[in-house]
Amino acid sequence: MAEEVKLFRTWSTPFALRIVWALKIKGVEYETIFEDLYNKSPSLLQYNPAHKKVPVLVHNGKPISESYVILEYIDETWKETPLLPEDPYERAMARFWAKFGDDKVFTSIFGGVFVKEGKEQEEAMVEAMENLQFLEEELRGKKFFGGERIGFVDLALGWLANLISILEDVAGLKIVGEDKFPLLSAWMKDFADSPIIKDNWPPRDKMIAKFQALRDAKLAAAASK
């Protein structure tokens, strides 16, 4: 009996892309259900009643939510091409850097640099640069965060390889330059150019329009306060 694998996602969320890439790396066939988060389907509300968010992976009728939980489930269910290292310490560190990426890097850029202006943006940029420097150091001596091939941390931080340039275009500033972050810049290019990765990026023009509208709305809301 064939396995049933479904992925509930939106067209643009970077959190669901982690799952797309993992399933592709593992060679798992799956069905994609695109959600409109302003008009959520009954199936999404049924499968993720706690958060009512994407991504949600449904495997043989059983739903799993939250991108990192899903990634680990995929890695444990389909053993080929492991995403996490075998060594317990290295596995713990992979989880640490993945969480650091969301809690510190993503937050300082999306919640800081991208939606602020003037002095507030300058202050947010200092924090973002400090966080990115930690990633630069972590890449020393490695092609990918996972070593010589893409692993768990690379998938967790993969949004950087696409969204950074989009945010830079929209906000008119440079966040990751080759002069300051040569290793991170090289990683972004190597990751983005990997066949499984580059074949699944969302349309750039639509992403620019989406994030331009998001930034405009955030700045307008801040100005009206």
Side-chain angles (χ1 to χ4, degrees):
M1 181 178 175
E3 291 188 290
E4 180 188 53
V5 182
K6 296 180 180 180
L7 175 60
F8 289 78
R9 56 174 292 207
T10 64
W11 69 270
S12 62
T13 173
F15 305 113
L17 270 181
R18 296 165 175 166
I19 315 308
V20 171
W21 296 327
L23 292 170
K24 295 284 186 181
I25 288 171
K26 298 281 189 175
V28 178
E29 296 287 332
Y30 67 98
E31 176 188 353
T32 299
I33 296 95
F34 286 103
E35 285 285 336
D36 176 0
L37 296 184
Y38 294 101
N39 184 26
K40 298 171 184 176
S41 71
S43 294
L44 177 63
L45 299 178
Q46 172 194 342
Y47 287 132
N48 190 6
H51 293 298
K52 304 177 178 63
K53 294 179 180 179
V54 294
V56 176
L57 186 77
V58 181
H59 182 207
N60 293 333
K62 297 177 180 178
I64 306 101
S65 304
E66 299 295 314
S67 64
Y68 291 146
V69 177
I70 297 171
L71 280 183
E72 294 212 34
Y73 177 84
I74 289 171
D75 207 29
E76 292 170 2
T77 303
W78 294 281
K79 306 290 188 182
E80 302 82 2
T81 319
L83 302 175
L84 280 163
E86 289 185 19
D87 180 78
Y89 177 75
E90 291 180 2
R91 289 170 75 91
M93 293 310 297
R95 294 182 179 110
F96 170 84
W97 287 115
K99 193 172 189 311
F100 178 85
D102 280 3
D103 292 350
K104 302 290 284 185
V105 181
F106 189 89
T107 302
S108 64
I109 293 173
F110 270 90
V113 175
F114 184 62
V115 295
K116 297 184 185 301
E117 289 183 305
K119 184 173 176 57
E120 286 188 343
Q121 187 182 66
E122 291 174 10
E123 292 171 351
M125 183 68 86
V126 171
E127 181 185 355
M129 293 296 103
E130 290 175 352
N131 292 331
L132 290 169
Q133 187 60 43
F134 282 112
L135 300 185
E136 178 78 7
E137 293 299 324
E138 182 60 20
L139 277 167
R140 210 166 286 282
K142 296 186 285 190
K143 181 178 182 180
F144 296 107
F145 288 97
E148 286 304 306
R149 61 180 178 83
I150 290 171
F152 187 87
V153 180
D154 300 283
L155 299 186
L157 297 171
W159 61 270
L160 282 163
N162 182 47
L163 278 185
I164 284 294
S165 65
I166 290 170
L167 302 186
E168 288 175 339
D169 284 355
V170 170
L173 49 80
K174 194 67 180 174
I175 301 173
V176 179
E178 291 185 13
D179 54 339
K180 189 170 180 59
F181 301 110
L183 301 180
L184 189 58
S185 296
W187 169 82
M188 287 167 60
K189 185 179 187 306
D190 289 337
F191 182 84
D193 287 346
S194 300
I196 283 175
I197 306 301
K198 71 179 181 181
D199 289 347
N200 292 284
W201 291 124
R204 185 176 178 84
D205 57 341
K206 287 180 65 178
M207 291 290 281
I208 287 176
K210 173 190 169 79
F211 283 99
Q212 182 69 66
L214 176 64
R215 184 169 193 265
D216 290 347
K218 291 282 189 181
L219 292 176
S224 65
K225 288 181 180 179

